[in-house]
Amino acid sequence: MVIRYLEQYQLLSIENFQHVSLEDRLKINECIEKSYLISPLSRGNSENGYNFPIIENNILFFFNLYKKYIKLCHNLFGTFHITPQNQSTCWCYRSNLNESNSVWHNHLATSTINGVYYYQVEGDGIFFERQGKEFYYVPQQGELLIFPNDLNHKPEKATSENWRYSINMEILTEESSSTLFNDLYGLS
């Protein structure tokens, strides 16, 4: 596993974080779509944002993905203490050319360490903003980006008719993101 520090963006990139076979992709996509259909987003209710929780997880893919993410973060950051309020739920951002909602946001209220796994993407990027400077990055399919909870970001509007799925994973710790990321590489 190759871990790169993208200094311009102040984030970590892990390419090919999780390989998914075509056979598994069909099952995973079905889980995502079932979770979408039972979410308020499927009925046009975006009151709580444009992500929805992956609830239909009968193949354990998302459980194992989060478990692998936690293990990687422990390897990167060392000892940290997860709060009782932490939720191991994976959340999906789903978009395509016809359905796309891109808004600036951060994860200050819900996490300390934020991870986005680009499960299914076709060249669309993500915008980051720090201290008034905006940056653009194009993640590859299978790439995981890890960044502090205060990093403002928004996905680029999708340009394909195929579904783009990115999976958000959060870790809420007793330690602050500035402490964890400063200890890691002088980030944040």
Side-chain angles (χ1 to χ4, degrees), residues 132-152:
K133 293 182 182 177
E134 195 173 296
F135 303 97
Y136 176 74
Y137 182 74
V138 180
Q140 300 302 307
Q141 186 157 298
E143 184 173 1
L144 172 69
L145 297 180
I146 297 176
F147 49 91
N149 60 359
D150 66 344
L151 184 60
N152 294 318

Side-chain angles (χ1 to χ4, degrees), residues 19-85:
H19 174 75
V20 178
S21 71
L22 181 57
E23 181 182 338
D24 287 343
R25 188 169 297 280
L26 295 173
K27 294 173 189 172
I28 295 164
N29 289 4
E30 185 178 328
C31 285
I32 291 172
E33 288 302 317
K34 283 181 178 177
S35 291
Y36 173 75
L37 288 174
I38 60 177
S39 78
L41 278 177
S42 70
R43 297 179 298 284
N45 181 348
S46 60
E47 182 178 306
N48 294 319
Y50 295 104
N51 289 343
F52 57 91
I54 302 297
I55 297 168
E56 291 293 322
N57 191 11
N58 58 358
I59 58 172
L60 297 178
F61 173 78
F62 297 100
F63 173 82
N64 291 328
L65 184 72
Y66 188 83
K67 191 171 156 183
K68 184 175 181 179
Y69 171 62
I70 286 277
K71 183 177 178 182
L72 173 65
C73 287
H74 275 294
N75 290 338
L76 291 170
F77 295 99
T79 301
F80 56 80
H81 303 90
I82 297 175
T83 69
Q85 295 80 20

Side-chain angles (χ1 to χ4, degrees), residues 165-183:
Y165 299 121
S166 54
I167 308 301
N168 184 63
M169 298 175 285
E170 301 178 329
I171 303 172
L172 188 59
T173 67
E174 293 176 8
E175 299 79 10
S176 70
S177 66
S178 59
T179 297
L180 291 174
F181 282 85
N182 281 333
D183 287 350

